């Protein structure tokens, strides 16, 4: 805000993080939830890939706990 009010006082601006478009993000989330409600994903297709990868890697290392 200071750079907008007093631009002559600044040579440049270093930005550390981008601004999140919160309204757009929430609208996209609501749209996704409506789409999933209309055409749900069957449970057999909704397993996470990292879970499978972790189990297979654990089996390859010789552990029988996974």
């Amino acid at each position: 805000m200071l750079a907008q009010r007093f631009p002559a006082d600044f040579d440049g601006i270093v930005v550390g993080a981008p601004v999140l478009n919160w309204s757009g993000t929430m609208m996209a989330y609501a749209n996704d939830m409506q789409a999933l409600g209309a055409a749900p994903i069957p449970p057999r297709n909704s397993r996470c890939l990292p879970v499978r990868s972790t189990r297979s890697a654990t089996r390859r290392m010789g552990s029988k706990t996974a």
Side-chain angles (χ1 to χ4, degrees):
M1 184 186 256
L2 286 174
Q4 290 177 339
R5 290 186 182 173
F6 308 105
D9 292 345
F10 294 89
D11 292 333
I13 299 173
V14 177
V15 178
V19 175
L20 176 64
N21 178 3
W22 188 253
S23 299
T25 301
M26 289 297 108
M27 291 304 294
Y29 176 73
N31 188 27
D32 291 346
M33 291 299 103
Q34 287 179 347
L36 280 172
I41 298 173
R44 68 180 181 274
N45 293 342
S46 65
R47 289 183 56 190
C48 287
L49 181 60
V51 171
R52 282 192 239 150
S53 298
T54 303
R55 286 185 183 151
S56 63
T58 306
R59 280 192 215 115
R60 283 194 303 267
M61 290 188 293
S63 175
K64 296 181 181 179
T65 58

